[in-house]
Amino acid sequence: MATTKADSKPGGVSNGSLPKAGQTYEGLTRQQLIDAYRLTYTSRRLDDREILLKRQQKIFFQISGAGHEAVGVAAAFTLKAGYDWFYPYYRDRALCLALGATPYEMLLQGVGAADDPSSGGRQMPSHWSYPRLNIVTGSSPTGSQILQAVGCAEVPRYVAAHPAAAAKATGDYRQFKDVVSHGDEVTYVSLGEGASSEGEFWEALNTASNRRLPLIFLVEDNEYAISVPVEVQMPGGNISRLVSGFPNFHFEEIDGTDLVASYAAFQRTVAYCRAGQGPGFIHAHVIRPYSHSLSDDERLYRPDVERQRDAAHDPVPRLQLSLIREGILDEKGINRLEKQVDDDLQVAVDHALQAIPPARDTVTRYIYSPDVDPTSAAFDTHPAAQVETTATDGKKSSHAKTMADLINLTLRDEMRRDERIVIFGEDVADCSREQYLKQKMVKGKGGVFKLTAGLQAEFGSERVFNSAIAEANIVGRATGMATRGLKPVVEIQFFDYIWPAMMQLRNELPVIRWRSNNGFSAPCVMRVPIGGYLTGGAIYHSQCGESIFTHIPGLRVVFPSNALDAAGLLRTAIRCDDPVLFLEHKRLYRETFGRAPYPGPDYMIPFGKAKIVHPGTDISVITYGAVVPRALQAAQKLEREHGVKVELIDLRSLNPFDWETIAASVKKTNRAIVAYEDTLSWGYGAEIAARIADELFQNLDAPVRRVAALDSFVAYQPILEDAILPQVDDLFRAMKEVAEY
Ligand SMILES: Cc1ncc(C[n+]2csc(CCOP(=O)(O)OP(=O)(O)O)c2C)c(N)n1
């Protein structure tokens, strides 16, 4: 133990002095030290039991928390389970035990039991998730938890300023999602020193620092990331030195194998964070006495001498020795405690080995919300009779509006209706230096496409604000906020720049509900301008790629082609209980095609419901987005010139998609073309074409044709762009050929 302290007088108690009643160790009582020993010992023994069970093939994976126990227990003793929020690393077994998770619960995850409270048998062990304790479901990618913790830590200040956000409501996601904030709760996130090399870690430090968030970063530095030593991960091999320049932080660098020193550091840090002064950063030096996991053999890259050095710092024997030295427990007492733990563990193991596995037919449960079905009739409403609107710029009109106008009005209406909605992204605010707005010195920007114009002015800078240029940051924070019940409606400035957020979009946001067996969910909306036909958009302002996202279970993907659909689908996206990727075609924002009057503040279109844009009897053309107006032109020409009647179907919603409408149409026309703007091969149309071939083969009089972009990047020169993207002529030719087949 680093420091001992008597309650009455500060200063050390020399070893061997008689224990005094009421004596504490940096505030830890003697009983707490015994409890801490029980927890660290339990954690280590549970690892050992799991290792044995893995070797006996009774569980299927094991990764230990060995060497990290003391700092974990110290953190748990300082923070409050079910009040503060936790994004723990896989080595945080002792933390979770100390917060209230039981060994039995952990073993249930090991055996993959139906009753495993973390995931119902869906996640590997040590992927902690305990909703009752506010321990948020964790994944396997190193570092992807950190930005979510940032979003989580943003909630208390928001709710304090907007208490109505906590109000319940019926008829949308709020009925099933609570916002609970005490105002001073702290968020804890931990990671290994290796994970601190991930870019998302640095994005998280930026935001935590800039916004002075009540967030504690704990870096558990065991000097190895599998076999890669710390000096390879980072210049100088010391993370504390590298982060020390971030403003507003309380920093600690500690021996994380020392319970009392760790506790003291946490006490100081939590006090700082709870008081709202800013984030904390604790760099804890720990050890890794076992190999990385059971799939690793550390003797291949670590000599004995290192292991012997570490053994002298092992937190479990170290704490045991301190208890004896301080006269808190004698050897008998230790033995009694350990026997009790061992006996209890045996019971837990026996019990867990009897646990029932999940039923096979439950696998698709909780990919989406079981409570709100955005494909249902509840989301099918009619546009209001023509209403005069006052746009955010103050202009009144009842005229047909562009897609850009109606998206803006829908955002405004929903923000008025639901105070949980926050909007952030790059340039989405009217003006970050809000005094310029207040003094009417500037008009405000409101997005590079002006889709969010006027929203900051109406709803304030807490609800509509700019983010840094960091797309993972935008999606990760939105995920953390949505986990706590807020409804972020964020913007990725261009689809072409969505890729830094891919880890969050593939491995986190859409998976949270499924992997936690409905313990957590993160319904939020990502609006993303997409697509080409811009004459000059070139490679990095013209991309499509929607099939990459429709390939992800758990993520709803919609892609409207006109103003009214954009309004109806955006409202459904916001009110539903699933994460939604809302794709807005830039070329359609202000087109004459598809303008519509304002449909009122409650107009919704259910997901998975296509629209027949042009009824016909001869060919079904299935498309969406900016190909809709092009296909319509081609269809009209074909009818005019050749009398062929095309049935043009606008899917509107890509996941789920409206198979019934496609099937009914193809059964009638016996010919099908799937047309899309993205590159031809492996694109969205491949799935539709395959499904038609598979299920409607008997109905087909011609092969299913796809019309799409060349398998190329989109070029700057308009002549090249024309050649690459599908044009009216390409669609016309394909329709004619299929009709004549
Ligand atoms: C993004 C990502 N890359 C690689 C891996 C494989 N992997 C799992 S753990 C690990 C090492 C992590 O080291 P560190 O963060 O120092 O934590 P430690 O295991 O040492 O506690 C790696 C590379 C992963 N899970 N995620």
Side-chain angles (χ1 to χ4, degrees):
M1 249 171 258
T3 343
T4 57
K5 203 177 272 181
D7 263 357
S8 47
K9 55 179 174 77
V13 177
S14 65
N15 289 342
S17 66
L18 282 176
K20 294 194 181 76
Q23 181 177 346
T24 67
Y25 301 79
E26 295 286 2
L28 282 171
T29 65
R30 298 160 74 82
Q31 183 56 48
Q32 279 180 303
L33 289 180
I34 296 170
D35 294 343
Y37 182 65
R38 181 179 296 108
L39 289 160
T40 56
Y41 179 78
T42 303
S43 182
R44 182 68 59 87
R45 291 297 286 164
L46 187 48
D47 274 324
D48 293 339
R49 285 312 302 256
E50 282 194 359
I51 288 166
L52 208 63
L53 290 166
K54 169 75 177 78
R55 297 211 160 108
Q56 296 165 341
Q57 298 184 22
K58 289 181 174 157
I59 66 171
F60 318 103
F61 178 78
Q62 210 283 329
I63 192 158
S64 86
H68 295 228
E69 294 95 341
V71 70
V73 170
F77 277 11
T78 323
L79 293 159
K80 295 186 247 181
Y83 184 101
D84 295 316
W85 285 76
F86 302 88
Y87 286 78
Y89 213 36
Y90 48 82
R91 303 240 187 256
D92 280 350
R93 185 190 295 285
L95 170 102
C96 293
L97 287 170
L99 288 173
T102 67
Y104 175 62
E105 288 175 320
M106 293 181 175
L107 286 159
L108 285 179
Q109 195 170 28
V111 300
D115 286 342
D116 150 34
S118 287
S119 77
R122 291 167 174 199
Q123 285 239 74
M124 292 169 151
S126 298
H127 289 57
W128 323 111
S129 176
Y130 300 103
R132 72 179 189 280
L133 305 171
N134 289 353
I135 297 177
V136 181
T137 168
S139 62
S140 298
T142 50
S144 53
Q145 73 281 21
I146 314 170
L147 285 167
Q148 293 171 35
V150 171
C152 175
E154 293 179 273
V155 172
R157 198 174 304 152
Y158 181 81
V159 177
H162 297 274
K168 293 291 283 179
T170 51
D172 62 41
Y173 75 98
R174 287 174 292 178
Q175 192 174 337
F176 306 96
K177 195 100 183 125
D178 294 330
V179 171
V180 177
S181 175
H182 309 281
D184 69 345
E185 67 268 25
V186 167
T187 300
Y188 160 103
V189 63
S190 58
L191 58 144
E193 84 293 341
S196 75
S197 300
E198 294 283 359
E200 291 191 9
F201 166 74
W202 297 91
E203 291 186 18
L205 288 175
N206 268 350
T207 307
S209 167
N210 223 357
R211 305 200 102 198
R212 287 182 173 265
L213 296 178
L215 173 62
I216 298 178
F217 294 76
L218 171 65
V219 174
E220 299 171 30
D221 181 354
N222 60 22
E223 292 194 4
Y224 276 95
I226 309 185
S227 69
V228 182
V230 63
E231 68 274 15
V232 176
Q233 292 292 344
M234 65 192 75
N238 182 304
I239 192 64
S240 282
R241 219 173 302 149
L242 298 182
V243 301
S244 62
F246 275 94
N248 302 329
F249 269 92
H250 174 84
F251 289 107
E252 298 272 356
E253 183 174 359
I254 57 167
D255 176 355
T257 67
D258 182 330
L259 178 88
V260 173
S262 300
Y263 180 77
F266 262 95
Q267 287 280 22
R268 291 188 289 268
T269 309
V270 172
Y272 180 85
C273 291
R274 233 188 258 298
Q277 288 179 271
F281 189 98
I282 301 179
H283 176 195
H285 293 277
V286 294
I287 58 161
R288 197 192 75 188
Y290 298 170
S291 291
H292 170 75
S293 70
L294 278 202
S295 320
D296 172 48
D297 179 0
E298 67 170 1
R299 285 170 304 186
L300 297 174
Y301 54 87
R302 291 185 87 184
D304 280 344
V305 56
E306 271 199 12
R307 269 193 300 282
Q308 283 154 10
R309 185 202 61 192
D310 274 5
H313 296 275
D314 191 317
V316 182
R318 206 174 158 183
L319 185 53
Q320 186 199 77
L321 209 66
S322 301
L323 291 182
I324 294 171
R325 207 169 41 214
E326 292 296 319
I328 296 170
L329 279 183
D330 58 14
E331 230 166 280
K332 254 196 192 150
I334 297 274
N335 288 342
R336 216 173 15 248
L337 179 151
E338 291 181 352
K339 176 153 188 333
Q340 186 63 55
V341 169
D342 291 339
D343 289 350
D344 290 349
L345 273 184
Q346 188 58 50
V347 173
V349 169
D350 292 344
H351 199 174
L353 289 176
Q354 305 299 318
I356 296 165
R360 292 170 73 102
D361 63 1
T362 60
V363 286
T364 55
R365 228 180 248 171
Y366 309 133
I367 292 176
Y368 301 102
S369 169
D371 302 312
V372 179
D373 177 4
T375 70
S376 69
F379 289 89
D380 203 351
T381 63
H382 292 287
Q386 284 209 4
V387 212
E388 190 176 76
T389 53
T390 310
T392 42
D393 62 5
K395 286 187 194 137
K396 285 187 189 301
S397 85
S398 60
H399 294 128
K401 306 224 159 281
T402 64
M403 183 192 274
D405 292 335
L406 285 195
I407 289 174
N408 178 267
L409 287 168
T410 306
L411 291 170
R412 182 205 64 181
D413 288 346
E414 290 304 297
M415 289 193 84
R416 285 181 183 169
R417 178 180 178 272
D418 178 358
E419 209 153 330
R420 297 189 188 186
I421 296 174
V422 287
I423 288 183
F424 60 99
E426 295 152 25
D427 299 287
V428 301
D430 290 314
C431 184
S432 284
R433 295 179 176 167
E434 60 180 18
Q435 70 273 20
Y436 298 156
L437 271 187
K438 285 191 175 137
Q439 292 163 20
K440 302 211 180 323
M441 295 163 73
V442 296
K443 188 162 170 267
K445 185 168 176 69
V448 292
F449 298 103
K450 306 243 177 312
L451 275 273
T452 48
L455 297 178
Q456 180 198 356
E458 177 169 349
F459 299 102
S461 305
E462 278 152 358
R463 297 192 67 194
V464 184
F465 53 90
N466 286 325
S467 70
I469 306 176
E471 289 73 12
N473 178 298
I474 295 168
V475 177
R477 285 164 67 194
T479 304
M481 291 180 195
T483 302
R484 295 197 55 188
L486 295 189
K487 177 66 84 165
V489 181
V490 299
E491 182 178 296
I492 299 290
Q493 198 160 73
F494 290 85
F495 183 86
D496 313 63
Y497 311 129
I498 201 169
W499 310 118
M502 202 61 201
M503 179 69 91
Q504 294 293 331
L505 284 167
R506 174 62 186 83
N507 282 338
E508 296 293 339
L509 175 61
V511 197
I512 281 175
R513 189 190 291 277
W514 188 84
R515 76 181 187 216
S516 66
N517 210 16
N518 208 32
F520 293 96
S521 63
C524 58
V525 181
M526 286 138 305
R527 295 182 34 252
V528 190
I530 189 169
Y533 299 110
L534 303 177
T535 52
I539 311 163
Y540 304 109
H541 296 83
S542 306
Q543 288 172 24
C544 282
E546 55 278 7
S547 64
I548 293 167
F549 296 93
T550 52
H551 194 63
I552 301 173
L555 187 64
R556 308 283 191 184
V557 181
V558 290
F559 198 157
S561 72
N562 59 77
L564 196 61
D565 287 354
L569 290 168
L570 180 57
R571 186 163 285 108
T572 301
I574 291 172
R575 295 189 189 180
C576 89
D577 199 26
D578 296 316
V580 183
L581 189 67
F582 191 84
L583 301 172
E584 302 169 358
H585 203 291
K586 303 185 285 280
R587 181 60 203 261
L588 299 177
Y589 271 152
R590 293 178 169 83
E591 288 274 91
T592 320
F593 169 83
R595 293 189 183 191
Y598 171 64
D602 285 307
Y603 178 56
M604 287 184 286
I605 297 173
F607 291 169
K609 196 169 166 195
K611 180 160 130 190
I612 297 182
V613 178
H614 182 275
T617 46
D618 302 329
I619 319 176
S620 304
V621 174
I622 299 128
T623 189
Y624 54 91
V627 181
V628 173
R630 286 160 180 78
L632 184 59
Q633 270 189 50
Q636 286 166 339
K637 186 172 172 217
L638 195 65
E639 189 164 349
R640 244 185 357 255
E641 295 180 2
H642 300 277
V644 175
K645 290 186 168 47
V646 169
E647 178 140 292
L648 181 59
I649 299 172
D650 179 358
L651 286 176
R652 311 197 285 192
S653 145
L654 306 185
N655 181 27
F657 73 96
D658 187 348
W659 173 245
E660 284 70 31
T661 296
I662 296 171
S665 179
V666 174
K667 280 179 187 163
K668 180 173 64 178
T669 64
N670 311 114
R671 288 161 209 270
I673 293 175
V674 192
Y676 50 104
E677 183 185 330
D678 197 6
T679 43
L680 179 82
S681 303
W682 325 109
Y684 184 76
E687 175 61 30
I688 310 276
R691 183 109 181 241
I692 294 172
D694 185 8
E695 294 186 30
L696 302 173
F697 183 72
Q698 307 292 348
N699 300 92
L700 289 175
D701 289 341
V704 182
R705 177 72 75 86
R706 285 168 297 155
V707 181
L710 301 182
D711 289 337
S712 161
F713 311 102
V714 179
Y716 167 71
Q717 163 59 247
I719 294 171
L720 298 181
E721 188 196 62
D722 273 6
I724 292 161
L725 297 180
Q727 306 297 331
V728 175
D729 284 350
D730 302 318
L731 291 153
F732 177 81
R733 224 177 7 259
M735 289 175 190
K736 187 163 174 293
E737 283 169 16
V738 171
E740 289 168 353
Y741 183 88

